[in-house]
Amino acid sequence: VMASMAHLQEEKLRLQEELLELREKLTAQEKNKLSHSLQLQSQVDTLKAKLLEQAQEISRLHSELGGTDVEKDLLVTENERLRQEMKACEGELQELRRQQQVPCQDCIHLQENTELQEQLSQLQQEAEETRAKLAELDLEVQQKTNRLAEVELRLKDSLAERAEEEERLSRRLRDSQETIASLKSQPQQIKYIIKTVEVESAKAKQALCESQSRNQYLQEQVGMQRQVLKEMEQQLQNSQKTVAQLRAQIMMYEAELERAHGQMLEEMQAMEEEKNRAIEEAFSRAQVEMKAVHENLAGVRTNLLTLQPALRTLTHDYNSLKCQVRDFPLLLQETLQSARAEISQAIEEVNTTNRELLRKYRRELQLRKKCHNELVRLKGNIRVFGRVRPITKEDGEGPEAANAVTFDDDDDTVLHLLHKGKQVSFELDKVFPPKASQEEVFQEVQALVTSCIDGYNVCIFAYGQTGAGKTYTMEGTAANPGINQRALQLLFSEVRGKAADWDYAISVSAAEIYNEALRDLLGKEPQEKLEIKLCPNGSGQLYVPGLTEFRVQSVEDINKVFEFGHVNRVTECTNLNEHSSRSHALLIVTVRGLDRSTGLRTTGKLNLVDLAGSERVGRSGAEGSRLREAQHINKSLSALGDVIYALRSRQAHVPFRNSKLTYLLQDSLSGDSKTLMMVQVSPAEKNTSETLCSLKFAERVRSVELGPVSRKAELASWPSQEQLEGDSPGTATTPGRGHVSSIGPGHLSSRVASIRRKLQASG
Ligand code: ADP
Ligand code: MG
C-alpha cells in the first residue's frame, strides 16, 4: 500500500509539472500574441497616416489640376471607403486583442504576414515615389502654365500696342489722304500742296514703310509668339496627357494597392482563421488533457482516500509487530531454553530407545538366523524343484510327441511319468507344471536369493537334457526374463530398502566351463583359460585370478553385462545352441554389505548355473570331439552328484576337486550354503528315458543334507580382490574374531571349529 501511495504521489507530482509546463506555454503564447497585435496596431497607425497624407495629396492635386466636382466626390467617397476599411481593420484588431486571452501555440503564418507586410511597404514606397514624380510633373506644369500666362499677357500687350500704332498710323493715313484730296481740288495750290504733299508724302511714305516694316516685324513676332503659344499648347497638351497617364498609373497603383491590401486582408483573415482554429484545437486539446489530468487527479484522490484506512491498519499492524519484535528476543530466549531442554530430553529418550532397539535388533537378528537355520534344516539345504516344459513344435507330432508326464492336483510335489507303459512317480520339493509362469517359478526362488543379502552363499542349478528348458528358466526371453534377471532386480530392490542402515555393493561375473576349462565371459580375452586358486590369506577360500567382476547398480547395467557375456559366447563358437548345451554357464553375483550402525560386514554369493545337457551321448555312439565333450559333461555332472552325495552322507572327504564346476562352487555348496536344483524335463514321449534319468538324479540329490547353515559374517573387513591376490597370510582375517569360515571339508570341520571356539570362549 505504501508503495502504491508513493507511486500515486509521484504520478500527482508529474501531472502538476505537466500542468505548470502547459501554463508556461500559454503565457508565452499570450506574450507572442500581444507583441503581434502591437505590431499590427503600429502598422495600422502608419497606414492611417499614409492614407491621410494620400487623401490630402490627392485633394491638393485635384484642386491644382482643377479636378471636377465629380472627381472630388469620387475621391471623397473613396476616402470614406478607405476610412471604413480602416475602421474595420481597427475592429478586427480589437477583436484580436479580445482573443489575446486565448493562446496561439505557434503562429506559422507570422513569417508570411511579415513577407506580405514587406511587399506592402514596398508597394507603398513605390506609390510614394510615383506620387513624388507626379508632384514634380505638376510643379513643372504649373511653372509652364505660369510662363504661358505671362507670354500671353505680354502678347496681348504687344497686340494692343500694335493695334494702337496701327490705328494711329491709319488715322494719319486717312488725314493725309484727305489733305491730298483737298489739295487736288485747288490745283495751284494743289501743285504746291502736291509738291509739298509729294515732299511730305515721301516722308509719309518713308514713315509708312517704316511702320509697315515695323508692322511686318510685329506680325512676324506675333506669328512667332503664336508659334510659341502653339508649342506651349502642344506642351500643355502633352503635359495633360502625361498627367492623365500618371493619373491612370496612380489609379492603377491605387487599384493594385487596394488589391494588395485586400489580399493582405484576406490573408490576414485566413491567418486569423487558421490561428483561431489552431487556438481552438490547442484549447480543446488542452481541455481534453486537463480533463484527463482532472480525472487522474480524481482517481488519485479516491485511491488516496481508499488507501488511507489501509495505511492506518498497516500502521497499526506495524506498531503491534514492532512491539512483538521488541519482545521477540526475550520470548525467543525463553522458547529456546525450553526447546533446548525439551530437545535434550528427547535426545536422551531417543538414545535410550535406540539402545533398546539396537539390543532388540541384534536379538532379532540372532533369532532370525536361528529360525532360518531351523527352517533350512527342516527343509534340507538342498532343495530340488522339477519343471516340466510344455510340448513345443520342435517335439513334432504323433505318438512321439505325446505327453508322458502327469501331475497330482492335490500335491504340487508329486509328478508321474509314463515310461514304457509303466507309471513312475517322483516326489520333489516342488513341481512346476508346463503352465507355470516364470513369475511363479521365481516366487519360489526369491527367498533363496534374498538370503544372499544376509551373507549366505547360494547355488541355483538348472539341470536336464538339452531342450528341456534350462536356459528358458535361467535366462528366459527378453519379454519374459528368467531367474537371472529377476534375481538381480530383487537384489537391487532389497538393497534399496535397506539403504537406511546398510551399504551394499553388488557385482557380477560371468564364466563358462567347457571341456573342463574355465573361461571369463566378461573378460577381454574370453579364450584364456582361468585357474581356480586358494586364497593366499589362509582362510581356505577359493578365488579365480583374472575373473572379471562388474559392479552393477541398475537393471540397465545387468542387461549390458548379459549382452556383453552373450556376445563373447557367440563370437567364440560356431554353433551357439550346440555349444551352450555342452558347456556350463555361470553367473556369479556377489553381494557385499556393511551395516553402518554396527560395522558388521556380510558377503553373500549367488551362483546361477545353466548346466550342460545331461543326455547320455556315449550311448548314441558319438566320436571325436563330440565324445570328448560328452565325457567332460558326464564327468562334471557326476562329480556334482558325487559331491552332493558326499555332503549328504557327511563323508569326511568331499570330492570337490573332481571337476572344475564343483571345485569352483566349493564355497557355495559346503557348510552353510544353500542349493537349489531345478530339474528341467520334457513331457514328450520320445524323451521319457532322459526324463527318467533326470528325475532319478533329482531324487538322489534331494535327500542330501548339508551341514548346519552358518552366516558368513564378519566384523573385520572383507578381503578385497587385491588382498585375495596378495600373498601375505598376515593380512588375512583371523578366524575366531567373529568370522565363521565356510571353508573346510564339510560339516564335521565346521563342527570342530565351533567346539574349539566355545572352548576358547570359556577359557
Ligand atoms: P535347454 O536350455 O535346456 O537346452 P531351452 O531353454 O533352450 O532348453 O528350451 C528349449 C525350447 O523350449 C526353447 O524354444 C524354449 O523357448 C522352450 N521352452 C522351454 N521351457 C519352456 C516353458 N516353460 N514355457 C514355454 N517354452 C519353453
Ligand atoms: Mg540351454
Side-chain angles (χ1 to χ4, degrees):
V1 166
M2 291 292 275
S4 75
M5 257 182 71
H7 178 70
L8 285 169
Q9 205 69 32
E10 272 176 22
E11 185 72 22
K12 195 177 145 191
L13 279 171
R14 196 180 59 75
L15 287 169
Q16 275 173 351
E17 274 172 17
E18 268 181 22
L19 210 64
L20 275 172
E21 258 177 39
L22 279 169
R23 269 188 200 144
E24 272 171 18
K25 257 188 198 168
L26 266 170
T27 46
Q29 276 170 8
E30 269 172 15
K31 269 185 200 161
N32 216 358
K33 182 97 195 236
L34 201 69
S35 66
H36 190 59
S37 74
L38 279 171
Q39 222 177 332
L40 278 172
Q41 177 64 43
S42 67
Q43 270 178 18
V44 165
D45 283 343
T46 49
L47 271 173
K48 235 177 173 174
K50 270 180 192 164
L51 209 64
L52 212 65
E53 265 175 32
Q54 219 173 345
Q56 279 169 4
E57 181 75 10
I58 285 164
S59 64
R60 195 176 58 76
L61 274 171
H62 272 298
S63 63
E64 271 177 11
L65 287 167
T68 58
D69 283 351
V70 184
E71 273 176 335
K72 230 180 219 167
D73 283 352
L74 266 170
L75 279 170
V76 166
T77 49
E78 177 71 20
N79 208 0
E80 198 60 41
R81 194 181 61 76
L82 281 168
R83 245 181 224 134
Q84 273 169 4
E85 267 181 26
M86 201 173 73
K87 260 184 196 149
C89 267
E90 275 174 343
E92 274 171 12
L93 193 70
Q94 250 147 30
E95 183 79 9
L96 268 172
R97 264 191 207 139
R98 265 206 307 284
Q99 284 172 358
Q100 266 171 15
Q101 283 107 357
V102 189
C104 175
Q105 279 203 315
D106 47 340
C107 203
I108 47 156
H109 299 285
L110 204 67
Q111 206 181 340
E112 239 178 286
N113 197 4
T114 48
E115 273 175 23
L116 277 169
Q117 274 167 359
E118 272 172 18
Q119 257 180 34
L120 183 70
S121 60
Q122 212 177 329
L123 280 170
Q124 276 172 350
Q125 206 178 335
E126 270 179 40
E128 203 73 27
E129 277 170 16
T130 318
R131 243 178 250 131
K133 247 187 192 167
L134 198 66
E136 260 176 42
L137 280 170
D138 274 347
L139 204 69
E140 212 177 306
V141 167
Q142 189 75 28
Q143 279 171 1
K144 280 187 179 162
T145 321
N146 285 352
R147 243 172 47 218
L148 195 67
E150 258 174 47
V151 169
E152 270 181 285
L153 217 65
R154 262 213 324 271
L155 197 65
K156 263 181 201 161
D157 285 352
S158 63
L159 275 171
E161 241 175 66
R162 218 167 3 188
E164 264 175 39
E165 189 80 16
E166 261 178 71
E167 195 142 313
R168 201 172 46 83
L169 283 171
S170 53
R171 224 174 21 246
R172 266 177 74 185
L173 194 60
R174 240 178 0 254
D175 286 347
S176 307
Q177 278 168 345
E178 274 173 17
T179 318
I180 290 164
S182 61
L183 279 169
K184 269 173 184 172
S185 52
Q186 296 162 347
Q188 287 298 332
Q189 263 185 333
I190 288 172
K191 271 188 185 169
Y192 171 67
I193 290 167
I194 288 171
K195 272 198 185 155
T196 43
V197 168
E198 276 175 352
V199 172
E200 273 183 25
S201 162
K203 280 180 192 168
K205 268 181 187 169
Q206 201 179 347
L208 191 68
C209 268
E210 271 174 21
S211 64
Q212 270 177 342
S213 63
R214 214 175 143 195
N215 197 10
Q216 189 81 30
Y217 167 73
L218 278 170
Q219 267 175 350
E220 270 173 19
Q221 273 226 327
V222 166
M224 238 160 64
Q225 285 297 330
R226 270 199 193 117
Q227 192 74 31
V228 169
L229 190 67
K230 234 182 212 168
E231 275 173 18
M232 294 287 274
E233 269 172 354
Q234 193 72 37
Q235 253 183 5
L236 187 68
Q237 254 172 10
N238 282 349
S239 285
Q240 271 170 346
K241 229 185 258 176
T242 319
V243 165
Q245 267 175 7
L246 283 170
R247 208 175 275 157
Q249 224 171 349
I250 285 169
M251 294 272 270
M252 208 175 70
Y253 280 136
E254 270 174 355
E256 205 164 324
L257 196 68
E258 207 171 313
R259 197 177 52 75
H261 189 73
Q263 207 177 350
M264 194 190 82
L265 279 174
E266 263 174 30
E267 274 170 19
M268 262 172 78
Q269 206 168 347
M271 272 159 63
E272 200 64 41
E273 277 168 12
E274 187 85 10
K275 187 186 81 186
N276 285 347
R277 215 173 35 248
I279 285 165
E280 260 169 39
E281 267 175 27
F283 186 68
S284 58
R285 242 200 335 264
Q287 261 181 341
V288 170
E289 274 173 22
M290 278 290 281
K291 210 170 154 188
V293 166
H294 276 301
E295 274 168 12
N296 263 356
L297 216 61
V300 167
R301 255 184 220 135
T302 48
N303 268 354
L304 271 173
L305 282 175
T306 51
L307 282 174
Q308 262 165 0
L311 192 68
R312 264 201 295 279
T313 49
L314 272 175
T315 320
H316 181 73
D317 284 359
Y318 172 70
N319 284 337
S320 64
L321 271 174
K322 221 154 107 183
C323 289
Q324 279 180 15
V325 165
R326 210 173 33 236
D327 300 341
F328 183 68
L330 272 171
L331 211 72
L332 185 72
Q333 215 160 7
E334 278 172 26
T335 321
L336 273 176
Q337 266 167 4
S338 65
R340 252 184 227 132
E342 271 175 37
I343 286 167
S344 52
Q345 200 185 337
I347 287 170
E348 198 61 40
E349 276 170 24
V350 166
N351 273 345
T352 46
T353 323
N354 261 359
R355 274 196 291 275
E356 184 66 14
L357 277 175
L358 202 64
R359 197 179 57 77
K360 277 183 185 166
Y361 170 67
R362 284 198 176 125
R363 215 181 58 201
E364 205 60 37
L365 260 180
Q366 279 172 352
L367 209 68
R368 192 181 145 187
K369 191 176 161 189
K370 231 165 119 184
C371 287
H372 189 86
N373 288 348
E374 194 61 22
L375 188 75
V376 169
R377 198 184 61 75
L378 287 171
K379 280 188 170 181
N381 278 345
I382 292 188
R383 308 196 68 209
V384 182
F385 291 173
R387 189 179 190 185
V388 185
R389 71 155 168 83
I391 290 189
T392 60
K393 272 189 219 155
E394 283 76 44
D395 292 325
E397 279 171 13
E400 284 216 320
N403 180 41
V405 180
T406 49
F407 306 91
D408 192 327
D409 287 343
D410 302 322
D411 192 350
D412 63 355
T413 61
V414 177
L415 176 152
H416 311 288
L417 174 71
L418 195 68
H419 177 57
K420 291 181 180 167
K422 270 202 282 179
Q423 180 167 303
V424 199
S425 294
F426 295 93
E427 195 190 347
L428 305 173
D429 292 307
K430 171 104 185 156
V431 172
F432 296 102
K435 64 173 191 291
S437 66
Q438 301 278 66
E439 173 80 47
E440 283 170 53
V441 171
F442 186 70
Q443 256 172 16
E444 290 296 320
V445 172
Q446 64 183 23
L448 271 181
V449 173
T450 43
S451 71
C452 175
I453 294 174
D454 296 328
Y456 295 102
N457 286 342
V458 178
C459 280
I460 299 175
F461 296 103
Y463 180 95
Q465 74 172 114
T466 299
K470 296 183 295 294
T471 308
Y472 184 86
T473 294
M474 297 312 283
E475 285 178 20
T477 57
N480 203 3
I483 290 170
N484 289 3
Q485 201 174 59
R486 285 172 200 266
L488 277 158
Q489 272 177 16
L490 180 70
L491 285 178
F492 285 133
S493 73
E494 286 287 309
V495 159
R496 264 200 304 276
K498 293 175 104 178
D501 306 307
W502 287 80
D503 285 331
Y504 280 106
I506 300 175
S507 47
V508 177
S509 297
E512 181 193 75
I513 298 172
Y514 175 67
N515 281 350
E516 284 302 280
L518 177 66
R519 298 196 301 127
D520 182 6
L521 287 182
L522 302 180
K524 283 175 189 148
E525 287 169 51
Q527 270 303 329
E528 199 186 334
K529 286 180 187 172
L530 299 178
E531 291 299 318
I532 303 162
K533 287 190 172 165
L534 204 63
C535 225
N537 61 10
S539 64
Q541 286 168 345
L542 294 171
Y543 82 108
V544 182
L547 181 67
T548 312
E549 204 178 73
F550 276 132
R551 172 92 187 262
V552 284
Q553 277 166 321
S554 64
V555 181
E556 287 77 48
D557 288 352
I558 312 162
N559 287 339
K560 270 185 216 155
V561 168
F562 286 171
E563 206 178 316
F564 188 52
H566 197 70
V567 167
N568 264 347
R569 218 175 170 197
V570 170
T571 49
E572 292 307 315
C573 59
T574 44
N575 185 337
L576 177 69
N577 267 342
E578 273 188 22
H579 178 83
S580 70
S581 72
R582 285 164 216 159
S583 63
H584 311 299
L586 293 104
L587 180 71
I588 305 157
V589 182
T590 313
V591 184
R592 295 186 178 94
L594 167 69
D595 183 351
R596 283 196 294 272
S597 61
T598 59
L600 186 77
R601 283 177 189 275
T602 62
T603 300
K605 247 187 208 177
L606 173 65
N607 302 280
L608 302 160
V609 190
D610 184 353
L611 291 168
S614 62
E615 60 272 14
R616 290 147 302 165
V617 181
R619 286 189 193 169
S620 55
E623 285 175 4
S625 67
R626 185 77 186 91
L627 183 66
R628 207 161 67 93
E629 277 174 1
Q631 283 168 347
H632 280 304
I633 293 163
N634 280 342
K635 190 185 151 197
S636 63
L637 288 179
S638 45
L640 183 64
D642 291 345
V643 163
I644 291 172
Y645 183 78
L647 285 168
R648 188 198 73 167
S649 54
R650 295 175 183 174
Q651 288 176 4
H653 176 69
V654 181
F656 288 114
R657 285 175 175 265
N658 280 2
S659 81
K660 272 267 153 58
L661 180 70
T662 48
Y663 190 42
L664 181 71
L665 296 176
Q666 184 174 339
D667 284 357
S668 303
L669 286 168
S670 56
D672 55 353
S673 305
K674 298 170 202 180
T675 301
L676 169 69
M677 186 67 77
M678 181 70 81
V679 178
Q680 297 283 151
V681 292
S682 156
E685 174 61 43
K686 61 174 177 183
N687 298 127
T688 47
S689 59
E690 285 301 332
T691 304
L692 191 68
C693 279
S694 296
L695 287 171
K696 273 183 179 168
F697 176 86
E699 208 168 42
R700 193 160 59 107
V701 165
R702 188 177 165 250
S703 56
V704 175
E705 275 276 316
L706 291 181
V709 173
S710 74
R711 192 169 177 210
K712 260 212 306 190
E714 54 196 349
L715 284 165
S717 64
W718 170 257
S720 66
Q721 195 65 29
E722 289 79 28
Q723 278 175 314
L724 288 173
E725 278 169 11
D727 50 9
S728 162
T731 55
T733 39
T734 11
R737 272 176 57 193
H739 174 79
V740 182
S741 172
S742 65
I743 299 301
H747 172 66
L748 276 174
S749 60
S750 66
R751 283 289 289 276
V752 167
S754 119
I755 291 163
R756 194 185 298 134
R757 261 201 313 283
K758 275 178 190 159
L759 284 170
Q760 278 173 345
S762 64

